[in-house]
Amino acid sequence: MFMKTLLFTTAVCFICGSLAVQTPYEPKWESLDARPCPSWYTDAKFGIFIHWGVYSVPAWGPKGKYAEWYWSSMQNKSAETWAFHKEMYGEDFQYPNFAADFKAELFEPQQWAELFNRSGAKYVVLTSKHHEGYCLWPSTHSFGWNSVDLGSGRDLLGELTEAVRSRGIKMGYYYSLYEWFNPLYKNDLSKYVENHMLPQLTELVEKYQPALIFADGEWNHHSSDWKSESFLAWLFNKSSVKDEVVVNDRWGKDCRSRHGGYYTTEYGKVDVHGTELTQEKPWEECRGIGSSFGYNRNESLEDYQSSQELIHMLIKLVSSGGNFLLNVGPTADGRIPVIMQQRLIDIGKWLEVNGEAIYSSAPAKGLKSNNSIRFTQKENYLYAICLEWPGKQLKLDSIVCPKDTEIKLLGTETALPWQEAGNGIVVDLSSLGPNNLPCEYAYTFKIKLSK
C-alpha cells in the first residue's frame, strides 16, 4: 500500500559545516502548504503548456469548447460532437480506435524544444496523461493504452523531456487524477487510487523527475479520497525531486485556491471563493492561443489571440504577480501548427528585448498599473511597460526620482532626459520614433533608482 511506504522520520544534514535538523513535511495541508515554492518557478514567469493525445486525431470540438474532451462529449448523443463523429467516422467507430492513428510520424522533439527556447519560455508542461487515460510514456500501469504499446511506438514524453532539458528549460507534466472510463475508477475509487493512480504517478516522478506537476481532474472527490496529502508528503520528503518540484492546487475538490504550491486560473476563470488572488501564494494563468487546449480543426483565425494580445496578457499577468502558462495543441502527426509557432516566436522576440522586466521581477510596490502602463521591479530598478507607444512624452504619476536617476528604453543605450512634473515625472521621447524602436507591441522604460 502506498501510504505504508511513507516514512516521516527526522533527517539530518550539514549546512554550512554545521549540523542541522530538517523536519519532514507531514501529510496534512497545514504542513504541506508551509513549504516555500522553489524560486525557479517564481522567477520563470513564462511557460509552455502542451495538450497532445489521442484526442489530437479527431481534433475537433464545438467553437469555444475544449477539443480534448472529445471522448466525453461524444457520449451525449444530442450534442454537436456526436453529430460530427457520426458523420465523419460512423456511429459504430469507438473512440479507442483513434489511438492507432496517433502516430506522431512528424514529431521532432529537438525542433519543438528549439521553438520553446526561441519563445523565451523557462518551463514546459506536457500532458503526460489526460482524462482519457492514455499515457505518452510506456507506463507499466497502463498496458496497451500508451504511446509505446499503441500508436507511435515511441516514448513521446521521454524524447521531449530530453530535448527540452538540453536547452536548459525546466520540464514538468500535467497529470489527470481521474480517467473517464477506467472501470476501476468508476467502480472502486479507493482501489483505483491505491492500485493504479498513485503507483502510476509515482512511476512518472521517479522515471522522469519532473520539475513541476500540474494535477487536474480532481473535482469530483475530496483530497483525502485521492490521498493527495500522503502523496505530496512523499514527494516533498523522499522523492528524487523533493527540493526542486513545484505543484499546483488541483489535488481535490477542496483545494483550488486553498491548498498546494501555487494557485491556478484557466482562461481567466478564477476560483478564489469570493476573494481576490493575493501574493500569499504564487499563481498562474493557463490558456490556449485559441479557445481549446487540444488542437481544434473547427477553430478559425478569428478564434486565435494575436501576438499583441498574448504579449499584453503576459505583461499584465506578471505585473500582477502571476505566471503565464500558454498552451499549444500539436497535431496527431507531431506538428505544432504554424500559427502557434508564429505567436511563440513573436513573444520570444519581444522577450529578447524586454525580458529583464519580466523574468525574476515582482509587481512594483506602491504603484498602480492601468490599461496603458504596467509596472514591475527588480532590485533597484523600476520598469514601466507601455502597452502602446506614448508619443513624444511619457508621463509617470506618483513616481519620485532622485536627480541622478537614469532612464532608458530597453533595447537602446542612450539615457533619456526627464524632469519632475506635479506628483510624478515626464520623460522626453522626442529622440525616438516609429523607425528606431527596438521592438513591437509594448515598450519598457528602465528606471534606475538610487541604491
Side-chain angles (χ1 to χ4, degrees):
M1 301 292 283
F2 181 84
M3 290 182 69
K4 292 181 180 178
T5 66
L6 298 174
L7 300 176
F8 302 108
T9 57
T10 301
V12 179
C13 68
F14 287 91
I15 300 177
C16 299
S18 61
L19 188 66
V21 177
Q22 292 182 323
T23 302
Y25 293 99
E26 297 180 58
K28 300 176 182 178
W29 283 122
E30 182 180 6
S31 176
L32 299 170
D33 289 341
R35 177 180 183 261
C37 184
S39 60
W40 75 258
Y41 175 80
T42 51
D43 289 343
K45 304 303 181 186
F46 180 48
I48 302 295
F49 215 178
I50 309 168
H51 275 64
W52 196 33
V54 174
Y55 46 83
S56 305
V57 178
W60 194 92
K63 280 186 176 289
K65 303 295 184 179
Y66 292 168
E68 66 274 16
W69 279 65
Y70 189 97
W71 195 3
S72 176
S73 299
M74 64 184 280
Q75 307 307 305
N76 183 351
K77 303 305 182 185
S78 63
E80 291 179 69
T81 300
W82 174 248
F84 171 84
H85 183 83
K86 187 168 63 171
E87 180 182 355
M88 294 294 108
Y89 306 105
E91 57 185 308
D92 295 329
F93 188 92
Q94 300 298 307
Y95 179 88
N97 294 332
F98 282 126
D101 290 324
F102 185 56
K103 297 178 179 178
E105 65 269 28
L106 299 180
F107 173 51
E108 296 289 346
Q110 292 294 341
Q111 290 182 3
W112 284 26
E114 183 55 26
L115 172 65
F116 302 152
N117 187 49
R118 292 178 64 189
S119 78
K122 299 301 182 184
Y123 60 108
V124 171
V125 180
L126 172 69
T127 45
S128 66
K129 183 195 77 171
H130 202 257
H131 311 321
E132 63 185 12
Y134 183 89
C135 297
L136 298 190
W137 86 97
S139 172
T140 58
H141 303 280
S142 185
F143 179 76
W145 192 232
N146 64 73
S147 62
V148 172
D149 292 339
L150 181 61
S152 67
R154 298 167 64 177
D155 180 356
L156 302 174
L157 182 147
E159 291 183 34
L160 183 61
T161 295
E162 182 179 353
V164 165
R165 286 178 175 156
S166 73
R167 302 302 197 283
I169 302 171
K170 298 286 187 181
M171 189 70 197
Y173 308 122
Y174 167 109
Y175 181 87
S176 175
L177 302 185
Y178 87 147
E179 298 177 14
W180 285 318
F181 305 114
N182 187 312
L184 191 57
Y185 170 74
K186 295 174 72 174
N187 297 322
D188 192 325
L189 177 63
S190 180
K191 286 185 178 180
Y192 169 83
V193 171
E194 287 282 358
N195 299 333
H196 178 73
M197 187 204 86
L198 287 174
Q200 185 178 66
L201 185 51
T202 303
E203 173 191 72
L204 179 65
V205 169
E206 291 303 277
K207 186 172 182 179
Y208 298 101
Q209 300 182 332
L212 184 150
I213 299 175
F214 189 114
D216 195 28
E218 84 294 354
W219 46 77
N220 288 334
H221 304 286
H222 195 277
S223 60
S224 59
D225 297 320
W226 294 118
K227 296 182 170 54
S228 296
E229 291 160 298
S230 296
F231 171 76
L232 292 174
W234 167 80
L235 185 71
F236 298 159
N237 291 321
K238 298 293 184 181
S239 77
S240 58
V241 294
K242 61 185 178 65
D243 297 322
E244 178 186 38
V245 71
V246 175
V247 301
N248 69 345
D249 59 348
R250 302 185 181 189
W251 296 96
K253 64 180 181 180
D254 54 312
C255 288
R256 292 202 192 192
S257 298
R258 288 192 178 102
H259 301 299
Y262 67 89
Y263 296 157
T264 53
T265 74
E266 185 172 320
Y267 280 89
K269 298 174 183 177
V270 185
D271 179 15
V272 292
H273 318 293
T275 62
E276 294 295 326
L277 284 172
T278 68
Q279 296 307 306
E280 68 181 47
K281 281 280 188 182
W283 60 275
E284 171 186 86
E285 160 74 352
C286 68
R287 61 154 296 145
I289 297 174
S291 298
S292 175
F293 286 103
Y295 179 54
N296 188 356
R297 293 181 291 161
N298 196 31
E299 290 185 329
S300 59
L301 178 62
E302 290 71 24
D303 297 305
Y304 284 82
Q305 296 285 297
S306 68
S307 296
Q308 176 172 291
E309 288 172 320
L310 292 170
I311 289 168
H312 285 188
M313 198 175 302
L314 171 65
I315 294 165
K316 290 176 180 179
L317 289 167
V318 172
S319 64
S320 299
N323 280 24
F324 188 19
L325 186 63
L326 180 62
N327 182 81
V328 295
T331 59
D333 59 13
R335 294 171 295 119
I336 296 176
V338 172
I339 190 171
M340 298 183 187
Q341 294 186 42
Q342 185 264 334
R343 299 296 193 259
L344 296 188
I345 293 299
D346 281 352
I347 294 171
K349 288 180 178 178
W350 187 85
L351 283 169
E352 282 184 5
V353 174
N354 301 278
E356 71 169 273
I358 300 295
Y359 304 124
S360 303
S361 70
K365 296 178 181 178
L367 290 175
K368 187 175 182 180
S369 296
N370 56 48
N371 290 329
S372 299
I373 304 176
R374 313 294 294 195
F375 296 98
T376 63
Q377 67 180 41
K378 185 163 53 179
E379 298 171 347
N380 64 321
Y381 291 98
L382 173 69
Y383 300 91
I385 310 174
C386 298
L387 302 185
E388 57 185 26
W389 183 248
K392 294 183 178 181
Q393 287 186 333
L394 170 63
K395 189 174 190 306
L396 299 174
D397 295 326
S398 304
I399 293 179
V400 178
C401 295
K403 292 183 178 180
D404 62 347
T405 294
E406 183 178 78
I407 301 177
K408 291 182 179 179
L409 173 67
L410 287 186
T412 66
E413 295 298 326
T414 305
L416 297 167
W418 64 273
Q419 61 183 5
E420 295 178 357
N423 67 335
I425 63 172
V426 172
V427 185
D428 183 359
L429 306 180
S430 59
S431 62
L432 299 169
N435 296 325
N436 61 350
L437 297 180
C439 60
E440 298 181 89
Y441 308 123
Y443 311 91
T444 303
F445 292 89
K446 179 180 180 179
I447 303 173
K448 184 177 182 181
L449 306 174
S450 297
K451 295 183 180 179

